[in-house]
């Protein structure tokens, strides 16, 4: 009897040790995704860091370069992956961290959409972890309260006396004459242009393609003049967009161009213009392969937006006419 009573505590201890394992088997760890920014506000032109901490379900796997949704329209500068800091590898799931740097190039506020990461579960099916959007406030260069900024006129640099007012009527008369002459010149030029047939080299898509080919032939990128190459490359794309769409894209910023674009085909040009901006103003240095990829995308855009040539007569038709 005493031996049987001594076994009871051992059975109780064994049950206590086995219960956590049973509980974890019945309740497997679910995946989760957390998104956070390194600050709450930033100035236009700053670089902000978006951190994604994730935990995958048991048996799930993440590709080396997973698709991340909700970042459309944002200018990505750098992306890296690593361990999730205080969250380590566990038996029931895999944890990690993805860090991304973005350029703040939007006014008023900078925000993402609903963020998602695509992974494969233990059966090989594609699934996604989701997190709420994040945003930060873009501060004004005039401070937190621009309406209260004390803007004062500069005095002492130029005369305060309005002596030029007595010459204003004469200046207005001369300006009117110049405007009339300019209007007559533009009217004459437009009428003359209507009478001259458009040559193939004057077509926008032919011009843009020739300009890009000449730029590549100059090999200024290979000579180390990377900024100059992308200044000229961006200028060609902006002038071509202005010629085919009718708004002054050559004078607009990339953000203003994005507002004017009305179709998905033209939006394919925005990543190239943003990439050129990063190289021109943020000291980003692209590889030769990235440069070749940018050129290929530009030529593809020009080809798709250029006029479609009319089909010519078939060889059989030509022979029939000759008979």
């Amino acid at each position: 009897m005493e031996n049987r009573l001594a076994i009871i505590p051992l059975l109780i201890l064994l049950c206590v040790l086995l219960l956590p394992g049973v509980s974890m088997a019945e309740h497997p760890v679910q995946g989760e995704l957390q998104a956070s920014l390194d600050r709450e506000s930033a100035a236009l032109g700053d670089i902000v860091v978006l951190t994604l901490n994730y935990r995958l379900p048991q048996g799930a796997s993440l590709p080396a370069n997973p698709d991340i949704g909700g970042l459309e329209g944002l200018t990505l500068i750098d992306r890296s992956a690593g361990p999730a800091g205080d969250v380590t590898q566990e038996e029931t799931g895999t944890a990690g961290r993805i860090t991304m740097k973005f350029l703040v190039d939007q006014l008023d506020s900078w925000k993402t959409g609903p963020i998602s990461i695509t992974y494969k579960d233990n059966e090989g099916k594609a699934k996604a972890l989701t997190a709420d959007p994040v945003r930060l406030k873009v501060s004004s260069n005039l401070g937190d309260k621009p309406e209260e900024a004390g803007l004062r006129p500069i005095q002492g640099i130029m005369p305060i006396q309005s002596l030029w007012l007595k010459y204003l009527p004469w200046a207005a008369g001369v300006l009117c004459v110049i405007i009339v002459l300019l209007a007559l010149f533009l009217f004459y030029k437009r009428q003359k242009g209507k009478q001259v047939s458009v040559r193939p080299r004057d077509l926008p898509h032919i011009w843009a393609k020739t300009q890009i080919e000449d730029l590549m032939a100059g090999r200024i990128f290979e000579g180390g003049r990377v900024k100059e190459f992308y200044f000229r490359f961006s200028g060609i794309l902006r002038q071509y967009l202005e010629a085919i769409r009718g708004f002054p894209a050559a004078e607009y910023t990339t953000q203003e161009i994005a507002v004017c674009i009305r179709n998905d085909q033209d939006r394919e040009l925005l990543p190239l213009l943003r990439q050129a901006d990063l190289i021109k103003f943020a000291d980003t240095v692209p590889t030769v392969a990235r440069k070749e990829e940018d050129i290929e995308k530009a030529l593809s855009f020009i080809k798709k937006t250029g006029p479609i040539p009319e089909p010519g007569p078939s060889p059989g038709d030509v022979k029939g006419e000759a008979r």
Side-chain angles (χ1 to χ4, degrees), residues 36-111:
S36 61
L37 292 170
D38 64 335
R39 66 190 77 181
E40 295 181 354
S41 64
L44 193 65
D46 284 353
I47 295 177
V48 297
V49 179
L50 173 63
T51 302
L52 302 179
N53 288 310
Y54 64 87
R55 183 196 297 270
L56 302 178
Q58 182 179 9
S61 62
L62 196 67
N65 190 20
D67 293 332
I68 301 177
L71 307 179
E72 295 78 7
L74 304 179
T75 303
L76 177 65
I77 297 178
D78 187 29
R79 170 174 165 173
S80 61
D86 55 344
V87 181
T88 59
Q89 182 81 14
E90 296 184 1
E91 295 180 357
T92 56
T94 302
R97 170 180 295 173
I98 299 176
T99 303
M100 292 170 286
K101 296 181 180 180
F102 292 90
L103 176 67
V104 179
D105 55 359
Q106 301 178 8
L107 300 176
D108 297 331
S109 66
W110 183 95
K111 59 183 179 180

Side-chain angles (χ1 to χ4, degrees), residues 10 65 176:
L10 295 177
N65 190 20
C176 290

Side-chain angles (χ1 to χ4, degrees), residues 80-153:
S80 61
D86 55 344
V87 181
T88 59
Q89 182 81 14
E90 296 184 1
E91 295 180 357
T92 56
T94 302
R97 170 180 295 173
I98 299 176
T99 303
M100 292 170 286
K101 296 181 180 180
F102 292 90
L103 176 67
V104 179
D105 55 359
Q106 301 178 8
L107 300 176
D108 297 331
S109 66
W110 183 95
K111 59 183 179 180
T112 69
I115 300 175
S116 64
I117 294 182
T118 303
Y119 69 93
K120 291 186 177 181
D121 62 9
N122 54 3
E123 297 180 354
K125 297 180 180 180
K127 294 188 177 181
L129 300 176
T130 59
D132 294 333
V134 294
R135 63 187 301 166
L136 56 79
K137 180 180 179 183
V138 180
S139 59
S140 170
N141 293 332
L142 298 179
D144 296 334
K145 298 181 179 180
E147 66 278 0
E148 299 180 2
L151 303 179
R152 296 178 299 175

Side-chain angles (χ1 to χ4, degrees), residues 59-267:
S61 62
L62 196 67
N65 190 20
D67 293 332
I68 301 177
L71 307 179
E72 295 78 7
L74 304 179
T75 303
L76 177 65
I77 297 178
D78 187 29
R79 170 174 165 173
S80 61
D86 55 344
V87 181
T88 59
Q89 182 81 14
E90 296 184 1
E91 295 180 357
T92 56
T94 302
R97 170 180 295 173
I98 299 176
T99 303
M100 292 170 286
K101 296 181 180 180
F102 292 90
L103 176 67
V104 179
D105 55 359
Q106 301 178 8
L107 300 176
D108 297 331
S109 66
W110 183 95
K111 59 183 179 180
T112 69
I115 300 175
S116 64
I117 294 182
T118 303
Y119 69 93
K120 291 186 177 181
D121 62 9
N122 54 3
E123 297 180 354
K125 297 180 180 180
K127 294 188 177 181
L129 300 176
T130 59
D132 294 333
V134 294
R135 63 187 301 166
L136 56 79
K137 180 180 179 183
V138 180
S139 59
S140 170
N141 293 332
L142 298 179
D144 296 334
K145 298 181 179 180
E147 66 278 0
E148 299 180 2
L151 303 179
R152 296 178 299 175
I154 301 176
Q155 298 182 1
I157 297 179
M158 58 182 65
I160 299 178
Q161 298 293 334
S162 301
L163 299 178
W164 56 272
L165 288 177
K166 64 179 181 180
Y167 299 107
L168 182 60
W170 293 96
V174 173
L175 181 60
C176 290
V177 172
I178 293 175
I179 293 175
V180 172
L181 293 176
L182 181 60
L184 291 175
F185 172 77
L186 294 176
F187 177 79
Y188 171 77
K189 185 176 180 181
R190 182 177 300 176
Q191 294 298 321
K192 183 178 179 180
K194 291 181 180 180
Q195 300 174 1
V196 180
S197 61
V198 178
R199 295 169 293 178
R201 64 182 181 184
D202 295 327
L203 296 175
H205 69 288
I206 299 296
W207 174 88
K209 181 180 178 182
T210 302
Q211 292 294 316
I212 291 178
E213 291 174 350
D214 292 342
L215 179 61
M216 295 174 61
R219 299 186 64 81
I220 62 176
F221 182 96
E222 290 75 5
R225 292 144 60 191
V226 177
K227 287 184 179 292
E228 179 183 349
F229 178 90
Y230 272 89
F231 263 106
R232 293 174 58 182
F233 177 63
S234 175
I236 293 170
L237 296 180
R238 291 169 185 271
Q239 292 180 60
Y240 174 70
L241 189 61
E242 178 175 330
I244 65 174
R245 298 298 180 241
F247 64 90
E251 302 173 6
Y252 281 2
T253 64
T254 303
Q255 186 68 20
E256 291 172 332
I257 292 175
V259 174
C260 293
I261 285 178
R262 293 292 181 266
N263 60 73
D264 294 336
Q265 188 178 57
D266 290 349
R267 289 190 179 93

